[in-house]
Amino acid sequence: MLPLRQFACSWSCLLNSRAPCVKTLVHGDQRRLFNTSNSRMTIMPAWVIDRYGSNDVLRFTKNAGFPIINYPNEVVVQVHAAGLNPIDVSMRGGYGAATMAMKRDPLNINQSGSEFPLILGRDMSGVIMECGLDVAPAYFKEGDEVSKKPKCLSHIEAAAVPYVAATAWSALVNTGGLNKDNCAKKRILILGGSGGVGTFSIQMLKAWGAHVTVTCSQNAERLVRGLGVDHVVDYTAGPVEVPLRALEKFDLVLDNVGGDTESWALGLLKPWCGAKYVTLVTPFLRNTDRLGIADGMLQTGVTVASKALKHLSKGVHYRWGMFAPNGLALDDISEMVDAGKIRAVVEEEFTFSQVPQAMLKIEKGHARGKTVVKISSGEDSSE
């Protein structure tokens, strides 16, 4: 899933590994080489940024360019709701700009700043408007609710799932080695359990039979207990590592917090048992922003390798986790949602005209699930 345009009434998004990224209609009289739609939309309302910075760089426009289908395996989605994530706030400020520029323009042909006006965004729920010629009708067709939206969820609820689900799956399954067949009775610690990734991870792990401990503030305890958590440690009551050290050691630690947690969290793992520490707070994009793609990736490799070797000598595994697109995982997750094993955790809902307020809410932190923007297909102004 590689969402491209979120804060717009219609946008494009990579839905699945079997149907790459979603773009859309051509402008003016250009011919449609990769799709069969007769639609002639060329502009749409959107929230854009013209430079990187704080929340005041957000600008509403009625004249954002409609995306163009460039490849025959792309689809166009009309967004009904969009989920917000902390990375959206970071990218508003320029986080990952060098890496994204390399992806957009690998030959460095365009001038710096050519990405503007830029529409931010990660995940969404909507309806397919148009399909490229190579998109299999058996999997995606016009009118489908996507990303293969669970039948039991509204668009608002569904928009809260894809990014955090793919991130949790990548960290726990791909990096942590957990799955529905080996998770029973394993002891898992989630540092920062009340946010989007934390609340999703809790539910997936409990569905697979794990024993889950989380850290969160006291006022989030009721939320995480309601999701099935076995033990809660209040990080506001004092140094959180103190009560954690008194507990039985863990098979895996998922770190959503970062900071100084690395200095003590690996000591909570069972030594010489294959136990893993997986952190989602990494310097990968900051390295490439600061040093460039080649040197940044080299620095990243050196950093993670040195830390992994250091902790391997103590009998535990050190790993970095991060979001990774995975359409097959989303299919499995959709089934778990429809089976009642996972529910969307939506903390607050905003209208399309309130995107700046929604971004500020995310920027303040201390999330209790996800923040979602409702995007009405008929809305054509920010008023």
Side-chain angles (χ1 to χ4, degrees):
M1 171 178 312
L2 176 63
L4 300 176
R5 302 200 171 206
Q6 176 173 338
F7 299 127
C9 284
S10 301
W11 70 299
S12 57
C13 163
L14 176 64
L15 299 173
N16 188 292
S17 58
R18 282 163 285 180
C21 61
V22 185
K23 294 190 181 176
T24 177
L25 316 176
V26 295
H27 293 252
D29 294 324
Q30 289 178 294
R31 294 179 60 196
R32 297 173 179 277
L33 300 179
F34 301 121
N35 65 82
T36 57
S37 171
N38 292 320
S39 175
R40 286 293 181 267
M41 293 180 66
T42 58
I43 59 173
M44 62 185 180
W47 287 93
V48 302
I49 62 172
D50 301 303
R51 66 186 189 281
Y52 298 114
S54 58
N55 211 48
D56 60 1
V57 301
L58 286 167
R59 173 176 66 86
F60 178 80
T61 177
K62 297 181 181 180
N63 299 308
F66 214 77
I68 301 170
I69 282 186
N70 290 324
Y71 299 97
N73 57 355
E74 296 179 339
V75 301
V76 183
V77 177
Q78 182 178 38
V79 175
H80 285 221
L84 274 68
N85 300 279
I87 194 171
D88 299 322
V89 174
S90 298
M91 296 186 83
R92 183 200 65 196
Y95 176 72
T99 305
M100 294 299 104
M102 180 66 178
K103 180 177 178 59
R104 285 188 295 263
D105 184 21
L107 299 180
N108 198 28
I109 296 173
N110 298 320
Q111 295 182 345
S112 176
S114 61
E115 68 268 33
F116 300 117
L118 178 66
I119 302 175
L120 301 170
R122 298 288 95 198
D123 51 358
M124 60 88 209
S125 180
V127 176
I128 291 181
M129 297 174 63
E130 181 179 356
C131 294
L133 296 178
D134 284 354
V135 176
Y139 202 77
F140 287 124
K141 61 183 182 298
E142 291 182 25
D144 282 352
E145 294 184 327
V146 292
S147 284
K148 285 298 180 182
K149 185 175 77 65
K151 297 179 179 63
C152 67
L153 297 186
S154 66
H155 283 294
I156 290 289
E157 293 167 324
V161 173
Y163 187 76
V164 295
T167 302
W169 189 281
S170 175
L172 295 172
V173 179
N174 300 347
T175 305
L178 301 178
N179 59 63
K180 63 181 180 181
D181 298 319
N182 69 5
C183 216
K185 298 185 180 180
K186 276 192 167 61
R187 289 180 53 79
I188 313 298
L189 170 63
I190 301 175
L191 301 174
S194 65
V197 173
T199 53
F200 187 89
S201 299
I202 290 167
Q203 296 180 85
M204 187 167 73
L205 291 167
K206 291 306 300 178
W208 289 348
H211 181 284
V212 179
T213 298
V214 305
T215 66
C216 64
S217 64
Q218 184 179 20
N219 61 19
E221 181 171 353
R222 182 177 179 181
L223 168 65
V224 298
R225 290 280 189 190
L227 298 175
V229 162
D230 298 286
H231 189 74
V232 178
V233 177
D234 178 10
Y235 72 83
T236 67
V240 71
E241 63 269 29
V242 175
L244 287 173
R245 285 178 181 139
L247 301 177
E248 182 183 342
K249 290 189 181 294
F250 297 92
D251 296 287
L252 185 141
V253 174
L254 176 63
D255 186 0
N256 297 305
V257 176
D260 68 348
T261 54
E262 283 188 19
S263 65
W264 50 263
L266 284 101
L268 304 175
L269 292 169
K270 299 175 181 178
W272 308 109
C273 294
K276 296 182 179 70
Y277 166 86
V278 181
T279 179
L280 290 170
V281 185
T282 77
F284 173 65
L285 288 181
R286 296 201 187 281
N287 284 343
T288 55
D289 286 342
R290 181 171 57 91
L291 301 172
I293 299 297
D295 289 345
M297 293 185 70
L298 177 62
Q299 179 63 56
T300 294
V302 169
T303 300
V304 71
S306 62
K307 290 186 176 184
L309 288 172
K310 171 186 173 183
H311 293 292
L312 188 59
S313 67
K314 301 176 183 178
V316 295
H317 298 273
Y318 176 95
R319 297 286 187 270
W320 284 1
M322 58 192 68
F323 165 82
N326 191 331
L328 294 176
L330 290 179
D331 288 344
D332 287 345
I333 289 163
S334 181
E335 292 179 4
M336 294 176 74
V337 172
D338 278 331
K341 297 178 180 179
I342 295 176
R343 66 177 175 88
V345 181
V346 178
E347 179 184 13
E348 192 166 356
E349 177 185 331
F350 291 83
T351 65
F352 187 50
S353 64
Q354 295 175 313
V355 165
Q357 294 96 310
M359 293 285 278
L360 284 176
K361 194 269 177 195
I362 294 291
E363 194 166 5
K364 291 177 181 178
H366 304 289
R368 302 291 181 264
K370 287 293 295 289
T371 296
V372 178
V373 173
K374 180 179 181 181
I375 302 177
S376 171
S377 60
E379 186 167 359
D380 61 1
S381 78
S382 66
E383 300 303 322

